[in-house]
Amino acid sequence: MNNDQGPTPKNGRERTHHPGLAPIDDSELTRESWKIFQIMAEFVEGFERLARIKPSVSFFGSARIPPGHPDYKLAEAVARQLSDSGFAVVSGGGPGIMEAANKGAFAGKSPSIGLNIQLPHEQQANPYQDIGLGFRHFFARKVMFVKYASAYVVLPGGFGTLDELAEILTLVQTGKSRRIPIVLVGSSFWRGLLDWFEDTLVARGTISPEDLGLYSLVDTPEAVVDAIFDYYEARSFEPSAEEKQRLMEL
């Protein structure tokens, strides 16, 4: 062994020949480095605009649900009741369930907020927003959904909705975020997934039986409101000092 150069690979090849080990060309990093400032701006604007809307509820559901659909009407009714009960409503700002949530909140007493995302096929922002923020990065937008939320309300949706649901379940399960009500709306839609959680994930030990208590399943606007108020009956909507520290480290 040569102490100056380290061990020689058995095949005799110098590892520095690998492109990943070649000297860095700074010009390749310039554009990526400047993206940091764009990301910072999204976080700063989000923190500044959303810090005073508490308590708030984050809504999720499919962008493909048209007005007049039962799920659209249900989301609108849920959001209206929560808005009149004093909760700001935060949605993804687009069409479908997001629009229904903002529309219901906009007709109520509390602020309606849209966290709009720029997509390759442009997502059209709905018109029912007192505050509308634009994001290029999903991860920055996700933090805003979680950071100031007193509850999550999740209606039928696709991959995006499932992604947001898995995100909040993971954050709460691992202790990275405070425990909040996670309310799934629509038994006929969610029952198959929840049965799979119990019959497969718990059975195989990939989640614990107590993890099934992280969420509730309801079917009516009144039940959504009751689930949230029941949870906060013995505690404040405002995070504790320990919970605030967790939220600082999302």
Side-chain angles (χ1 to χ4, degrees):
M1 177 185 294
N2 186 319
N3 291 331
D4 294 330
Q5 296 181 352
T8 301
K10 291 183 178 179
N11 60 8
R13 180 175 61 86
E14 292 290 341
R15 294 190 62 78
T16 54
H17 289 173
H18 190 286
L21 302 176
I24 296 174
D25 180 354
D26 289 344
S27 64
E28 295 178 2
L29 300 179
T30 300
R31 185 177 180 187
E32 294 294 334
S33 298
W34 278 102
K35 290 287 288 184
I36 294 172
F37 295 99
Q38 185 184 85
I39 294 165
M40 288 172 59
E42 291 190 358
F43 279 113
V44 170
E45 183 180 17
F47 294 155
E48 289 182 344
R49 297 296 302 278
L50 301 181
R52 292 178 291 176
I53 66 169
K54 300 174 287 187
S56 69
V57 176
S58 292
F59 264 73
F60 303 94
S62 175
R64 303 183 183 188
I65 301 297
H69 189 281
D71 290 338
Y72 185 104
K73 294 179 179 179
L74 178 59
E76 184 178 352
V78 172
R80 175 62 186 270
Q81 289 202 24
L82 287 170
S83 179
D84 285 339
S85 297
F87 292 95
V89 169
V90 181
S91 90
I97 296 296
M98 294 177 284
E99 178 183 285
N102 286 135
K103 185 177 180 181
F106 200 75
K109 299 177 180 179
S110 303
S112 174
I113 296 96
L115 306 183
N116 305 279
I117 185 73
Q118 294 183 21
L119 299 174
H121 302 287
E122 193 70 25
Q123 174 176 296
Q124 185 68 36
N126 70 68
Y128 306 105
Q129 301 176 35
D130 296 302
I131 298 174
L133 299 179
F135 292 85
R136 293 189 180 186
H137 304 95
F138 270 115
F139 60 85
R141 182 175 179 248
K142 280 185 174 183
V143 171
M144 301 307 153
F145 278 126
V146 175
K147 190 170 181 65
Y148 302 108
S150 296
Y152 261 41
V153 173
V154 191
L155 287 102
F159 288 152
T161 302
L162 294 174
D163 178 50
E164 297 292 355
L165 174 59
E167 178 85 8
I168 189 62
L169 288 172
T170 301
L171 289 172
V172 173
Q173 180 203 50
T174 58
K176 288 296 290 182
S177 181
R178 66 171 178 150
R179 178 78 180 268
I180 61 174
I182 302 169
V183 187
L184 307 181
V185 187
S187 297
S188 62
F189 183 85
W190 293 110
R191 177 50 62 193
L193 177 64
L194 302 187
D195 287 345
W196 181 72
F197 285 179
E198 183 172 2
D199 297 339
T200 301
L201 300 189
V202 172
R204 295 196 179 194
T206 56
I207 66 172
S208 301
E210 54 266 28
D211 291 332
L212 300 179
L214 296 178
Y215 52 82
S216 58
L217 179 63
V218 303
D219 287 297
T220 67
E222 294 77 16
V224 174
V225 176
D226 288 345
I228 295 172
F229 275 103
D230 287 348
Y231 180 82
Y232 286 103
E233 185 175 10
R235 59 155 298 159
S236 170
F237 290 113
E238 188 69 18
S240 67
E242 179 186 355
E243 290 170 339
K244 287 180 179 178
Q245 184 60 39
R246 290 185 190 183
L247 293 170
M248 286 291 292
E249 298 174 357
L250 278 173

